[in-house]
Amino acid sequence: MPSLQEELLLYTMDLVKENVSKRIDSILQSKGTPEQTSIRILLELIPYNKESEMEMSVWFHFIMADIHHRQQEDEGVLEGVQRIMTELHQGGILKDSINLDIETERLYALVDGLALHAILNPKRLQKEKIKQVLVNHMNTLFKQPIEETDI
């Protein structure tokens, strides 16, 4: 039987997931190109503003408190990245020459690394740099690169 602390942590994680899901649904409902939408969703997986910083801090504490379940929790982010890449590929948005499997892993590693570094050193890795790195990376995959100001 889980302790009160474990139950509270699980409840908090459920709230975090619900908040992120609502913001992603809002992005999906808004107008934008597939390129813009995909980057906006990816930014939701990285501590990009005060709300997502708090959520990522909770997520980080959850992972550290329950390290043996880390693989299961990571799968949510991985599944999100896989879904984005698959839809971009099927929609003809990505360059024909890319290896979808490899590029999905690269993007997952980038998102994971940016999230971790943004939590560990937020003064060095500020929101504009996160956006620059992500847009720059995605532009290497898109057939039609986009401007950072369009995000």
Side-chain angles (χ1 to χ4, degrees):
M1 182 166 178
S3 70
L4 181 59
Q5 182 179 6
E6 290 170 329
E7 285 186 30
L8 182 59
L9 194 53
L10 288 171
Y11 175 74
T12 306
M13 279 309 306
D14 287 342
L15 289 176
V16 166
K17 289 177 190 177
E18 185 178 318
N19 287 342
V20 171
S21 291
K22 285 178 183 177
R23 290 196 308 270
I24 289 173
D25 286 344
S26 177
I27 292 168
L28 290 170
Q29 300 301 319
S30 66
K31 295 182 180 179
T33 66
E35 293 89 348
Q36 292 167 326
T37 300
S38 63
I39 292 174
R40 290 175 184 151
I41 290 171
L42 290 168
L43 286 170
E44 288 298 328
L45 305 176
I46 302 168
Y48 188 68
N49 56 39
K50 286 294 179 197
E51 186 175 11
S52 61
E53 283 177 28
M54 289 187 330
E55 291 168 348
M56 186 56 71
S57 181
V58 169
W59 186 269
F60 187 71
H61 283 90
F62 177 78
I63 297 301
M64 295 313 292
D66 199 11
I67 200 77
H68 66 279
H69 288 108
R70 179 167 166 62
Q71 182 179 3
Q72 291 174 340
E73 295 303 327
D74 270 353
E75 288 174 2
V77 175
L78 177 58
E79 286 174 10
V81 170
Q82 287 171 328
R83 185 174 299 134
I84 288 168
M85 290 296 287
T86 299
E87 288 183 17
L88 289 171
H89 181 69
Q90 289 174 347
I93 306 300
L94 301 178
K95 294 176 182 174
D96 296 330
S97 61
I98 72 158
N99 179 318
L100 185 60
D101 186 50
I102 296 298
E103 293 303 333
T104 299
E105 284 298 325
R106 270 185 22 155
L107 181 56
Y108 174 55
L110 178 65
V111 167
D112 220 25
L114 286 171
L116 180 62
H117 288 279
I119 285 292
L120 295 177
N121 197 349
K123 289 181 181 173
R124 186 190 69 77
L125 191 57
Q126 295 179 356
K127 116 182 205 175
E128 283 309 308
K129 187 172 260 185
I130 291 170
K131 185 173 157 183
Q132 289 172 344
V133 169
L134 196 54
V135 170
N136 183 280
H137 176 75
M138 294 304 290
N139 276 338
T140 67
L141 305 175
F142 294 149
K143 286 180 181 176
Q144 299 293 318
I146 63 170
E147 295 295 323
E148 200 178 309
T149 55
D150 293 337
I151 301 302

